[in-house]
Amino acid sequence: MSEIDYEKLAEIELQKDEAEDTQSEQEETFMPPALEDPELNINHPYYDVARHGIIQLAGDDNSGRKVITFSCCRMPPSHQLNHTRLLEYLKYTLDQYVENDYTVVYFHYGLKSVNKPSMKWLQTAYKEFDRKYKKNLKALYVVHPTNFIKILWNIFKPLISHKFGKKITYLNYLSDLREHLKYDQLNIPPEVIRHDENLRGKQKGKLPPVVKVPPPRPPLPTQQFGVSLQYIKDKNKGELIPPVMKETVSYLKRKGLQVEGLFRRSASIQTIKDVQKLYNQGKSVNFDDYQDIHIPAVTLKTFLRELPQPLLTFECYDPIIGITSVESSLRVTRCKQIIQGLPEHNYVVLKYLICFLHLVSQESIYNRMTASSLACVFGLNLIWPSKGTASLSALVPLNLFTELLIDFYMNIFNSRTVPGEILP
């Protein structure tokens, strides 16, 4: 079958999908509203595309990799969206993450004849994403695939390498995502959720019963992950620095400062779970046993990410977001003001961590991890909003703030000393 025949077949299948959706959901006239993002500035270089919310940052997967979502239902009709700009915006977004391992979730529902990019555009898009983008993409989840996707696969098969093909996973239901990602961070469009409910309704009686999740157990006295800094301090004889942070930082300082890509790489999910279990049970962890420097690095990031409240606290989120509106020459001073307002315990732990990251950045000639690179990795592990996840437009100020902390560590932290504090 020729490529033209496949294109015609793909269009037919897409129209079938639309007919089914219209029948089951009685859709109104197609017109997705622009997504309201209070942090999106009209001066954003891709405001015309970003305002639709097609591409979103959605927290981390179970390996600590950043997750980017692409929602077809957010795409307006083709005459209202410049697809060349959409491709540029997608690259602009991914450019912030391609140096690190990352994951993409593609929500197929909502792709229609009126908003579908041309096949030529899709082929151009695939070719535009060279090795830089494909190398560190660790997983691509296609949610709610249809026959249209299968036909697309046949069109693109000659272009797609076997290695890249293995990264693609097809998921029929949203619940399948829970196995791979932090589902609650995904910000799934309501239209996609409704579609998923309709699909499940059709399949009633064919799906296994939903397993009830048991209520959470109270934390162990030795617990370190998922509990507050105060809890860890109280259970560790008043020690200010949590043992897991002290041990991972100490190990990385001895053996990892010159490792290229430190903190960029992911690690085995099961191994990280095993390490967490050991720490939570109060058992000793010998990182030499794992023979992988990225295990302690990911363990440290996981510890920060699982704190009930971010190390920089929810209260600091809005002031930090405002850093880009501060004149460049005054930003370090503003950082210092924000940091001085932290609770004493948070301040001590943050100072310990940033001191270490400053040391890492000083070895960037070997490890390639500048303050900017480290900020991209740690920004969202240090601060996130109290509700939902940080939007893409919030990344610039969050990462800038973190970069300033690392670059100007001595200046920002030199005027406040807390009794009992230690440094790496």
Side-chain angles (χ1 to χ4, degrees), residues 175-298:
S175 58
D176 298 335
L177 282 167
R178 294 182 186 276
E179 184 183 334
H180 310 280
L181 309 169
K182 292 179 172 58
Y183 183 85
D184 295 335
Q185 295 183 359
L186 284 177
N187 287 335
I188 301 168
E191 303 94 315
V192 174
I193 294 173
R194 284 198 299 271
H195 176 66
D196 191 74
E197 289 169 350
N198 283 328
L199 288 178
R200 285 189 165 277
K202 290 178 185 177
Q203 294 294 323
K204 236 172 187 176
K206 298 180 185 178
L207 291 172
V210 177
V211 179
K212 289 185 177 179
V213 179
R217 295 178 179 178
L220 298 167
T222 50
Q223 188 106 4
Q224 291 202 54
F225 289 86
V227 293
S228 69
L229 293 176
Q230 187 63 47
Y231 184 90
I232 299 171
K233 177 186 172 187
D234 291 345
K235 302 296 182 182
N236 286 274
K237 301 176 183 176
E239 293 254 348
L240 292 174
I241 308 300
V244 64
M245 178 177 282
K246 190 185 292 185
E247 290 173 19
T248 51
V249 165
S250 175
Y251 188 88
L252 292 168
K253 184 183 176 186
R254 290 197 321 272
K255 301 194 175 185
L257 285 182
Q258 296 188 354
V259 172
E260 186 171 339
L262 185 66
F263 292 116
R264 274 187 184 152
R265 300 288 169 254
S266 52
S268 159
I269 297 173
Q270 190 54 53
T271 303
I272 297 302
K273 285 182 178 177
D274 291 343
V275 170
Q276 286 182 273
K277 187 175 180 180
L278 288 172
Y279 271 117
N280 285 339
Q281 292 176 343
K283 297 178 180 177
S284 62
V285 176
N286 183 357
F287 288 112
D288 283 333
D289 293 343
Y290 301 98
Q291 298 184 331
D292 181 357
I293 197 67
H294 300 296
I295 297 295
V298 174

Side-chain angles (χ1 to χ4, degrees), residues 52-64:
H52 296 291
I54 302 163
I55 301 162
Q56 293 281 307
L57 178 70
D60 308 289
D61 66 11
N62 290 341
S63 298

Side-chain angles (χ1 to χ4, degrees), residues 10 14 19 29 76 108 120 124 136 156 201 212 283 297 308 343 347:
L14 195 60
T29 304
H108 179 63
K120 187 177 180 182
T124 301
N136 289 337
F156 282 90
K212 289 185 177 179
K283 297 178 180 177
Y347 176 85

Side-chain angles (χ1 to χ4, degrees), residues 384-399:
W384 55 86
S386 57
K387 293 180 181 177
T389 57
S391 65
L392 278 170
S393 52
L395 283 184
V396 172
L398 296 184
N399 290 349

Side-chain angles (χ1 to χ4, degrees), residues 105-238:
V105 179
Y106 169 76
F107 293 114
H108 179 63
Y109 174 73
L111 188 70
K112 302 176 184 296
S113 300
V114 293
N115 69 348
K116 175 181 71 68
S118 67
M119 289 293 170
K120 187 177 180 182
W121 182 89
L122 291 170
Q123 289 173 331
T124 301
Y126 184 79
K127 289 173 182 174
E128 286 270 328
F129 290 107
D130 54 23
R131 187 174 182 275
K132 177 177 85 168
Y133 297 94
K134 293 168 188 168
K135 179 187 173 189
N136 289 337
L137 173 64
K138 297 305 176 184
L140 168 58
Y141 298 106
V142 178
V143 183
H144 300 139
T146 62
N147 284 335
F148 175 80
I149 293 289
K150 293 174 186 174
I151 294 166
L152 269 193
W153 177 258
N154 282 311
I155 295 173
F156 282 90
K157 209 170 184 179
L159 298 174
I160 297 173
S161 68
H162 175 69
K163 189 175 181 181
F164 184 81
K166 288 169 68 177
K167 299 179 181 183
I168 303 172
T169 302
Y170 297 99
L171 304 174
N172 292 322
Y173 301 101
L174 289 174
S175 58
D176 298 335
L177 282 167
R178 294 182 186 276
E179 184 183 334
H180 310 280
L181 309 169
K182 292 179 172 58
Y183 183 85
D184 295 335
Q185 295 183 359
L186 284 177
N187 287 335
I188 301 168
E191 303 94 315
V192 174
I193 294 173
R194 284 198 299 271
H195 176 66
D196 191 74
E197 289 169 350
N198 283 328
L199 288 178
R200 285 189 165 277
K202 290 178 185 177
Q203 294 294 323
K204 236 172 187 176
K206 298 180 185 178
L207 291 172
V210 177
V211 179
K212 289 185 177 179
V213 179
R217 295 178 179 178
L220 298 167
T222 50
Q223 188 106 4
Q224 291 202 54
F225 289 86
V227 293
S228 69
L229 293 176
Q230 187 63 47
Y231 184 90
I232 299 171
K233 177 186 172 187
D234 291 345
K235 302 296 182 182
N236 286 274
K237 301 176 183 176

